[in-house]
Amino acid sequence: MTFEQWMRSVLDRVENALGHYLPADTARPAQLHEAMRYAVLGGGKRVRPLLCHAAGELTGATEAARNAAAAALEMIHVYSLVHDDMPCMDDDALRRGKPTVHVQYDEPTALLVGDALQSQAFQAALVRELALASGSLGMAGGQAIDLASVGLKLTREQLETMHRMKTGALLRAAVRMGALAGETPSAETMAALDVYAGAVGLAFQVVDDILDVTTDSATLGKTAGKDAANDKPTYVSILGLDASRELAAQLRAEAHDALKPFGARAQRLAELADLVVNRVS
Ligand code: GRG
């Protein structure tokens, strides 16, 4: 199977699993459930579910276990996007090429969609991993640091810490949850996968910062250069464009090196590292 065929089949399974784990929009309160489905279904790159499936395949996790973990990760991710887009945070009108939830519905609905998606995720998931990755020591804490850093000059180390928490923790959980859904992986396996996930998570953010200044916002449904315009530090603002590109390439190499002990079994994870670094949106 080619990488593209594998991606297509995983993406289909992820969409089905999400449809299954989200409450039906006929269940009351129908409008909240409709808005949850609006936020989650039919959009996004699904990077976290893909990483989760690839790591789960490596450790022999069943399809059902991989689907549950992948759906939980995506629901947490979408909750963070819905809240991040609200007027009290980034105040964005477009997400994934369509109106954000508070624009399409209203602010209270967006707040509740995020809350309810978070709860829904914990029904499906390896609770400890997901809680650690999404709480104040992970994504929510990283977001707090990010919001507090507006107008400040962060060092590269401080920027890295913020991103390791804000986006890296959930990407790392995607790999860990996939792996842990399989045959009890060894400490060595988990340590190697942690190194891989750390490098991919940081590369994802470096590339995001590069794309933020090099792509056309209108076609992507987001505001190009918004972080810079908001006076938020980015890799490009600290290192410059060329050094940021070099860093992304270095992190890709680090991710590949970490997978060496697994040989061909880690092919999909290696391909996903390439996808994260070479993506154009
Ligand atoms: C509100 C608790 C809370 C946290 C928000 C992750 C986050 C913290 C906010 C997301 C805002 C943002 C633009 C972060 C930078 C990188 C990032 C996570 C981009 C969006 O993720 P993608 O590119 O999105 O995987 P898709 O739509 O493809 O799933």
Side-chain angles (χ1 to χ4, degrees), residues 43-48 74 77 79-81 83-84 89-90 95-96 139-140 143 166-167 204-205 208 279:
K45 296 181 289 296
R46 310 297 198 205
V47 172
R48 295 148 194 85
E74 187 66 12
H77 171 55
Y79 126 66
S80 82
L81 298 179
H83 280 190
D84 187 67
M89 293 214 190
D90 253 16
R95 170 67 65 184
R96 295 178 166 176
M139 183 179 73
Q143 175 79 342
K166 182 178 150 180
T167 48
F204 183 90
Q205 189 57 54
D208 218 63
R279 72 197 167 99

Coordinates of all heavy atoms in Angstrom, one line a residue, residues 43-48 74 77 79-81 83-84 89-90 95-96 139-140 143 166-167 204-205 208 279, ligand 1:
G43 N -13.2 18.1 8.2 CA -12.2 19.2 8.0 C -10.9 18.9 8.8 O -10.9 18.0 9.6
G44 N -9.9 19.6 8.5 CA -8.6 19.5 9.2 C -7.7 18.4 8.6 O -8.2 17.6 7.8
K45 N -6.5 18.5 9.0 CA -5.5 17.6 8.4 C -5.5 16.2 9.1 O -4.9 15.3 8.6 CB -4.1 18.2 8.5 CG -4.0 19.5 7.7 CD -2.6 20.1 7.7 CE -2.2 20.7 9.1 NZ -3.1 21.9 9.4
R46 N -6.1 16.2 10.3 CA -6.1 15.0 11.1 C -4.7 14.4 11.4 O -4.5 13.2 11.4 CB -6.9 13.9 10.4 CG -8.3 14.3 9.9 CD -9.2 14.7 11.0 NE -10.6 14.7 10.6 CZ -11.6 15.4 11.1 NH1 -11.3 16.3 12.1 NH2 -12.8 15.3 10.7
V47 N -3.8 15.3 11.7 CA -2.4 14.9 12.0 C -2.3 14.0 13.2 O -1.6 13.0 13.2 CB -1.5 16.2 12.2 CG1 -0.1 15.8 12.7 CG2 -1.4 17.0 10.9
R48 N -3.0 14.4 14.3 CA -3.0 13.6 15.5 C -3.5 12.2 15.4 O -2.9 11.2 15.8 CB -3.6 14.4 16.7 CG -2.9 15.7 16.9 CD -3.8 16.9 17.4 NE -3.0 18.1 17.3 CZ -2.9 18.9 16.2 NH1 -3.6 18.5 15.1 NH2 -2.3 20.0 16.2
E74 N -8.6 13.9 18.4 CA -9.1 14.9 17.5 C -10.1 15.7 18.2 O -10.2 17.0 18.0 CB -9.7 14.2 16.3 CG -10.1 15.2 15.2 CD -8.9 16.0 14.5 OE1 -7.8 15.7 14.7 OE2 -9.3 17.0 13.8
H77 N -8.3 18.2 20.3 CA -7.7 19.2 19.4 C -8.8 20.2 19.0 O -8.6 21.4 19.0 CB -7.1 18.5 18.2 CG -6.6 19.4 17.1 ND1 -5.8 20.4 17.3 CD2 -6.9 19.4 15.8 CE1 -5.5 21.0 16.2 NE2 -6.2 20.4 15.2
Y79 N -11.7 20.9 20.3 CA -12.1 21.8 21.5 C -11.1 22.9 21.6 O -11.5 24.1 21.8 CB -12.2 20.9 22.8 CG -11.4 21.4 23.9 CD1 -11.7 22.7 24.5 CD2 -10.3 20.7 24.5 CE1 -11.0 23.1 25.6 CE2 -9.6 21.2 25.5 CZ -9.9 22.4 26.1 OH -9.2 22.9 27.1
S80 N -9.8 22.7 21.5 CA -8.8 23.7 21.7 C -9.0 24.8 20.6 O -8.8 26.0 20.8 CB -7.4 23.2 21.8 OG -6.8 23.0 20.5
L81 N -9.2 24.3 19.4 CA -9.4 25.3 18.2 C -10.6 26.1 18.4 O -10.6 27.4 18.2 CB -9.5 24.5 16.9 CG -8.3 23.6 16.5 CD1 -8.6 22.9 15.2 CD2 -7.0 24.5 16.4
H83 N -12.2 27.0 21.2 CA -12.0 28.0 22.3 C -10.9 29.0 21.8 O -11.1 30.2 22.1 CB -11.5 27.3 23.6 CG -12.7 26.7 24.3 ND1 -12.6 26.2 25.6 CD2 -14.0 26.5 24.0 CE1 -13.8 25.8 26.0 NE2 -14.6 26.0 25.1
D84 N -9.9 28.6 21.2 CA -8.8 29.5 20.8 C -9.4 30.5 19.8 O -8.9 31.7 19.8 CB -7.7 28.7 20.1 CG -6.5 29.6 19.7 OD1 -5.9 30.0 20.7 OD2 -6.2 29.8 18.6
M89 N -10.0 35.0 23.1 CA -8.7 34.5 22.8 C -8.2 35.1 21.5 O -7.9 36.3 21.5 CB -8.6 33.0 22.9 CG -8.9 32.4 24.2 SD -7.9 30.9 24.6 CE -8.7 30.4 26.1
D90 N -8.2 34.3 20.4 CA -7.6 34.9 19.2 C -8.6 35.6 18.3 O -8.2 36.3 17.4 CB -7.0 33.7 18.4 CG -5.5 33.7 18.4 OD1 -4.9 34.4 19.3 OD2 -4.8 33.1 17.6
R95 N -12.2 29.1 10.3 CA -11.4 27.9 10.7 C -11.7 26.8 9.7 O -12.9 26.5 9.5 CB -11.8 27.5 12.1 CG -11.3 26.2 12.7 CD -9.8 26.2 12.9 NE -9.4 27.1 13.9 CZ -8.0 27.3 14.2 NH1 -7.1 26.6 13.5 NH2 -7.7 28.1 15.1
R96 N -10.7 26.1 9.3 CA -10.9 25.0 8.3 C -11.8 25.5 7.1 O -12.6 24.7 6.7 CB -11.4 23.8 9.0 CG -10.5 23.2 10.0 CD -11.0 22.0 10.8 NE -10.0 21.3 11.5 CZ -10.2 20.3 12.3 NH1 -11.4 19.8 12.5 NH2 -9.2 19.6 12.9
M139 N -1.3 21.3 27.0 CA -1.9 22.3 26.0 C -2.5 23.6 26.7 O -2.2 24.7 26.2 CB -3.0 21.6 25.2 CG -3.6 22.4 24.1 SD -4.8 21.5 23.2 CE -6.2 21.4 24.4
A140 N -3.3 23.4 27.7 CA -3.9 24.6 28.3 C -2.9 25.5 29.0 O -2.9 26.7 28.9 CB -5.0 24.2 29.4
Q143 N -1.1 27.4 26.3 CA -1.9 28.5 25.8 C -1.8 29.7 26.7 O -1.7 30.8 26.3 CB -3.3 28.0 25.6 CG -4.3 29.1 25.2 CD -4.3 29.4 23.7 OE1 -3.4 29.1 23.0 NE2 -5.3 30.1 23.3
K166 N 2.0 23.7 24.3 CA 0.8 24.1 23.7 C 0.4 23.1 22.5 O -0.8 22.7 22.4 CB 0.9 25.5 23.1 CG -0.3 26.0 22.4 CD -0.1 27.5 22.0 CE -1.0 27.7 20.7 NZ -0.8 29.1 20.2
T167 N 1.3 22.8 21.7 CA 0.9 21.9 20.6 C 1.7 20.5 20.7 O 1.2 19.5 20.3 CB 1.2 22.5 19.2 OG1 2.5 23.0 19.2 CG2 0.2 23.5 18.8
F204 N 6.4 20.6 13.7 CA 5.1 21.1 13.3 C 4.9 22.6 13.5 O 4.4 23.3 12.7 CB 4.0 20.3 14.1 CG 2.6 20.6 13.7 CD1 2.0 19.8 12.7 CD2 1.9 21.6 14.3 CE1 0.7 20.1 12.3 CE2 0.6 21.9 14.0 CZ 0.0 21.1 13.0
Q205 N 5.4 23.0 14.7 CA 5.2 24.4 15.0 C 6.1 25.3 14.2 O 5.7 26.4 13.8 CB 5.5 24.6 16.5 CG 5.1 26.0 17.0 CD 3.7 26.3 16.7 OE1 2.8 25.5 17.1 NE2 3.4 27.4 16.0
D208 N 4.6 25.6 11.0 CA 3.4 26.5 11.1 C 3.8 28.0 11.0 O 3.2 28.8 10.4 CB 2.7 26.2 12.4 CG 1.2 26.3 12.3 OD1 0.7 25.5 11.5 OD2 0.6 27.2 12.9
R279 N 4.7 19.9 4.5 CA 3.3 20.4 4.2 C 3.3 21.8 3.7 O 4.2 22.6 4.0 CB 2.4 20.2 5.4 CG 2.7 21.1 6.5 CD 2.0 20.6 7.8 NE 2.5 21.4 8.9 CZ 1.8 22.4 9.5 NH1 0.7 22.7 9.1 NH2 2.3 23.0 10.6
Ligands
GRG1 C1 -8.0 26.9 24.3 C2 -7.0 25.3 26.0 C3 -6.9 26.0 24.7 C4 -5.8 25.8 24.0 C5 -5.6 26.3 22.7 C6 -3.6 24.3 20.4 C7 -4.2 25.6 20.8 C8 -4.2 25.9 22.3 C9 -4.7 26.5 19.9 C10 -4.6 26.3 18.5 C11 -4.3 27.6 17.9 C12 -3.1 27.5 17.0 C13 -3.3 28.2 15.7 C14 -2.0 26.9 17.4 C15 -0.8 26.8 16.5 C16 -0.6 25.4 15.9 C17 -1.8 24.6 15.7 C18 -2.2 23.7 16.8 C19 -2.5 24.8 14.6 C20 -3.8 24.0 14.3 O1 -3.6 22.7 14.2 P1 -3.6 21.9 12.8 O2 -2.8 22.6 11.8 O3 -5.2 22.2 12.5 O4 -3.3 20.5 13.1 P2 -6.2 21.2 11.6 O5 -7.3 22.1 11.3 O6 -5.5 20.8 10.4 O7 -6.6 20.1 12.5

